[in-house]
Amino acid sequence: MSIKQNLNNIKEKLPEHVTLVAVSKTKPISDLMEAYNAGQRIFGENKIQEMAERHDEMPKDIEWHMIGHVQRNKVKYMAPFVSLIHGVESFKLLKEINKQALKNNRIIDCLLQIKIAEEDSKFGMRPEEAKNILLSQDFSALKNIKVTGVMGMATFTDNTEQIEKEFKLLKATFDTLKTLKTENCKLQTISMGMSGDYQLAIACGSTMVRVGSSIFGYRN
Ligand SMILES: *Cc1c(COP(=O)(O)O)cnc(C)c1O
């Protein structure tokens, strides 16, 4: 099946309130252009410099999402153009994003990555930590970022019950944090669900799915 067909198959299954991020990491630009020509405008990458190169080469009406782990010293390379940073997992990182956004005279939208998986390998902050950050004075001083939601990754397992439990934890965390509305914090997005589990994620409340291999095929 072509990329266009894959995209259409997925889009048919998505409710209207769910945004599709096409995860294009490691794929050649020609594949991304195929998705672009089929109407896709939101792409997710997990390496900052690669995303910056693609941004330079591709049409300018694309929204670029950073979905991977973010190294603070590389934030500057994406600050001029990134639309949404999914994997924000510390206050230090928020501060750096704020600094670089200010330099570019922008406000950058961020999602707080919440650790929902039992696996130790997964990044993210505990729900309590997220709450403490959002309530802090230091956070309210960051005028050039906006926290617009949460992101999570479930454990890599075939156990659907476990994945469901973790997705529900992210939804519950979102519901709690959503009540903390401030100038730079207005939660509306729950980024959860990938190729293997996006339908379950949507059933658990996801509003943004990050789908790679089901669109572009397997990665090496
Ligand atoms: C690679 C990746 C995805 C997409 O994974 P697929 O299984 O290919 O859909 C989603 N989210 C993150 C954070 C990723 O790194």
Side-chain angles (χ1 to χ4, degrees), residues 23 25 67 151 153 194-195 210-213 219:
V23 176
K25 61 190 184 195
I67 62 165
M151 179 267 208
M153 283 176 87
M194 325 203 311
S195 290
R210 310 176 306 267
V211 180
S213 45
R219 293 175 296 272

PDB file of all heavy atoms in Angstrom, residues 23 25 67 151 153 194-195 210-213 219, ligand 1:
ATOM      1  N   VAL A  23       4.660  10.475  12.058  1.00  0.00           N
ATOM      2  CA  VAL A  23       6.020  10.345  12.580  1.00  0.00           C
ATOM      3  C   VAL A  23       6.956   9.858  11.471  1.00  0.00           C
ATOM      4  O   VAL A  23       6.911   8.705  11.048  1.00  0.00           O
ATOM      5  CB  VAL A  23       6.060   9.397  13.800  1.00  0.00           C
ATOM      6  CG1 VAL A  23       7.493   9.200  14.273  1.00  0.00           C
ATOM      7  CG2 VAL A  23       5.199   9.954  14.927  1.00  0.00           C
ATOM      8  N   LYS A  25      10.409  10.139  11.318  1.00  0.00           N
ATOM      9  CA  LYS A  25      11.823   9.961  11.679  1.00  0.00           C
ATOM     10  C   LYS A  25      12.470   8.857  10.834  1.00  0.00           C
ATOM     11  O   LYS A  25      11.838   7.827  10.583  1.00  0.00           O
ATOM     12  CB  LYS A  25      11.940   9.624  13.173  1.00  0.00           C
ATOM     13  CG  LYS A  25      11.231   8.348  13.581  1.00  0.00           C
ATOM     14  CD  LYS A  25      11.169   8.202  15.106  1.00  0.00           C
ATOM     15  CE  LYS A  25      10.543   6.864  15.482  1.00  0.00           C
ATOM     16  NZ  LYS A  25      10.139   6.788  16.888  1.00  0.00           N
ATOM     17  N   ILE A  67       8.996  15.029  18.970  1.00  0.00           N
ATOM     18  CA  ILE A  67       8.366  14.002  19.816  1.00  0.00           C
ATOM     19  C   ILE A  67       9.383  13.232  20.655  1.00  0.00           C
ATOM     20  O   ILE A  67       9.000  12.448  21.512  1.00  0.00           O
ATOM     21  CB  ILE A  67       7.549  13.002  18.968  1.00  0.00           C
ATOM     22  CG1 ILE A  67       8.458  12.248  17.989  1.00  0.00           C
ATOM     23  CG2 ILE A  67       6.425  13.716  18.207  1.00  0.00           C
ATOM     24  CD1 ILE A  67       7.812  11.015  17.398  1.00  0.00           C
ATOM     25  N   MET A 151       1.853  14.390  27.450  1.00  0.00           N
ATOM     26  CA  MET A 151       2.223  13.335  26.517  1.00  0.00           C
ATOM     27  C   MET A 151       2.686  12.127  27.312  1.00  0.00           C
ATOM     28  O   MET A 151       3.235  12.277  28.415  1.00  0.00           O
ATOM     29  CB  MET A 151       3.353  13.849  25.624  1.00  0.00           C
ATOM     30  CG  MET A 151       3.885  12.878  24.608  1.00  0.00           C
ATOM     31  SD  MET A 151       5.298  11.939  25.192  1.00  0.00           S
ATOM     32  CE  MET A 151       6.136  11.606  23.653  1.00  0.00           C
ATOM     33  N   MET A 153       4.017   7.725  26.955  1.00  0.00           N
ATOM     34  CA  MET A 153       4.288   6.506  26.194  1.00  0.00           C
ATOM     35  C   MET A 153       4.051   5.304  27.079  1.00  0.00           C
ATOM     36  O   MET A 153       4.611   5.214  28.173  1.00  0.00           O
ATOM     37  CB  MET A 153       5.731   6.490  25.700  1.00  0.00           C
ATOM     38  CG  MET A 153       5.948   7.393  24.501  1.00  0.00           C
ATOM     39  SD  MET A 153       7.667   7.427  24.048  1.00  0.00           S
ATOM     40  CE  MET A 153       7.718   6.005  22.961  1.00  0.00           C
ATOM     41  N   MET A 194       0.386   5.205  19.401  1.00  0.00           N
ATOM     42  CA  MET A 194       1.281   5.051  18.267  1.00  0.00           C
ATOM     43  C   MET A 194       0.647   4.017  17.322  1.00  0.00           C
ATOM     44  O   MET A 194      -0.512   3.657  17.487  1.00  0.00           O
ATOM     45  CB  MET A 194       2.663   4.623  18.734  1.00  0.00           C
ATOM     46  CG  MET A 194       3.052   5.241  20.077  1.00  0.00           C
ATOM     47  SD  MET A 194       4.806   5.352  20.439  1.00  0.00           S
ATOM     48  CE  MET A 194       5.412   3.736  20.088  1.00  0.00           C
ATOM     49  N   SER A 195       1.427   3.552  16.355  1.00  0.00           N
ATOM     50  CA  SER A 195       0.838   2.650  15.356  1.00  0.00           C
ATOM     51  C   SER A 195       0.075   1.476  15.983  1.00  0.00           C
ATOM     52  O   SER A 195      -1.030   1.146  15.568  1.00  0.00           O
ATOM     53  CB  SER A 195       1.923   2.095  14.432  1.00  0.00           C
ATOM     54  OG  SER A 195       2.401   3.124  13.602  1.00  0.00           O
ATOM     55  N   ARG A 210       0.467   9.770  17.533  1.00  0.00           N
ATOM     56  CA  ARG A 210       1.748   9.891  16.843  1.00  0.00           C
ATOM     57  C   ARG A 210       2.001   8.582  16.104  1.00  0.00           C
ATOM     58  O   ARG A 210       2.406   7.593  16.705  1.00  0.00           O
ATOM     59  CB  ARG A 210       2.866  10.141  17.864  1.00  0.00           C
ATOM     60  CG  ARG A 210       2.595  11.277  18.861  1.00  0.00           C
ATOM     61  CD  ARG A 210       3.720  11.370  19.886  1.00  0.00           C
ATOM     62  NE  ARG A 210       3.970  10.102  20.548  1.00  0.00           N
ATOM     63  CZ  ARG A 210       3.429   9.701  21.687  1.00  0.00           C
ATOM     64  NH1 ARG A 210       2.623  10.494  22.348  1.00  0.00           N
ATOM     65  NH2 ARG A 210       3.714   8.515  22.184  1.00  0.00           N
ATOM     66  N   VAL A 211       1.738   8.597  14.811  1.00  0.00           N
ATOM     67  CA  VAL A 211       1.772   7.335  14.066  1.00  0.00           C
ATOM     68  C   VAL A 211       2.881   7.375  13.015  1.00  0.00           C
ATOM     69  O   VAL A 211       2.920   8.274  12.177  1.00  0.00           O
ATOM     70  CB  VAL A 211       0.404   7.072  13.403  1.00  0.00           C
ATOM     71  CG1 VAL A 211       0.446   5.769  12.627  1.00  0.00           C
ATOM     72  CG2 VAL A 211      -0.709   7.030  14.449  1.00  0.00           C
ATOM     73  N   GLY A 212       3.779   6.391  13.092  1.00  0.00           N
ATOM     74  CA  GLY A 212       4.886   6.322  12.148  1.00  0.00           C
ATOM     75  C   GLY A 212       4.772   5.149  11.208  1.00  0.00           C
ATOM     76  O   GLY A 212       4.386   5.281  10.046  1.00  0.00           O
ATOM     77  N   SER A 213       5.102   3.953  11.704  1.00  0.00           N
ATOM     78  CA  SER A 213       5.235   2.797  10.811  1.00  0.00           C
ATOM     79  C   SER A 213       3.945   2.431  10.075  1.00  0.00           C
ATOM     80  O   SER A 213       4.005   1.924   8.953  1.00  0.00           O
ATOM     81  CB  SER A 213       5.794   1.600  11.577  1.00  0.00           C
ATOM     82  OG  SER A 213       5.164   1.440  12.807  1.00  0.00           O
ATOM     83  N   ARG A 219      10.654   0.860  10.148  1.00  0.00           N
ATOM     84  CA  ARG A 219      11.975   1.496  10.132  1.00  0.00           C
ATOM     85  C   ARG A 219      13.024   0.440  10.412  1.00  0.00           C
ATOM     86  O   ARG A 219      12.771  -0.536  11.086  1.00  0.00           O
ATOM     87  CB  ARG A 219      12.048   2.570  11.238  1.00  0.00           C
ATOM     88  CG  ARG A 219      11.162   3.770  11.033  1.00  0.00           C
ATOM     89  CD  ARG A 219      11.228   4.695  12.242  1.00  0.00           C
ATOM     90  NE  ARG A 219      10.718   4.062  13.454  1.00  0.00           N
ATOM     91  CZ  ARG A 219       9.448   4.075  13.844  1.00  0.00           C
ATOM     92  NH1 ARG A 219       8.546   4.699  13.117  1.00  0.00           N
ATOM     93  NH2 ARG A 219       9.075   3.477  14.954  1.00  0.00           N
TER      94      ARG A 219
HETATM   95  C1  LIG B   1       8.732   6.530  16.818  1.00  0.00           C
HETATM   96  C2  LIG B   1       7.759   7.132  17.726  1.00  0.00           C
HETATM   97  C3  LIG B   1       6.379   7.046  17.475  1.00  0.00           C
HETATM   98  C4  LIG B   1       5.783   6.304  16.309  1.00  0.00           C
HETATM   99  O1  LIG B   1       5.929   4.931  16.471  1.00  0.00           O
HETATM  100  P1  LIG B   1       5.225   3.895  15.456  1.00  0.00           P
HETATM  101  O2  LIG B   1       5.110   2.660  16.260  1.00  0.00           O
HETATM  102  O3  LIG B   1       6.130   3.776  14.285  1.00  0.00           O
HETATM  103  O4  LIG B   1       3.915   4.473  15.083  1.00  0.00           O
HETATM  104  C5  LIG B   1       5.518   7.697  18.357  1.00  0.00           C
HETATM  105  N1  LIG B   1       5.963   8.373  19.431  1.00  0.00           N
HETATM  106  C6  LIG B   1       7.279   8.474  19.700  1.00  0.00           C
HETATM  107  C7  LIG B   1       7.698   9.253  20.895  1.00  0.00           C
HETATM  108  C8  LIG B   1       8.216   7.863  18.861  1.00  0.00           C
HETATM  109  O5  LIG B   1       9.513   7.970  19.162  1.00  0.00           O
END
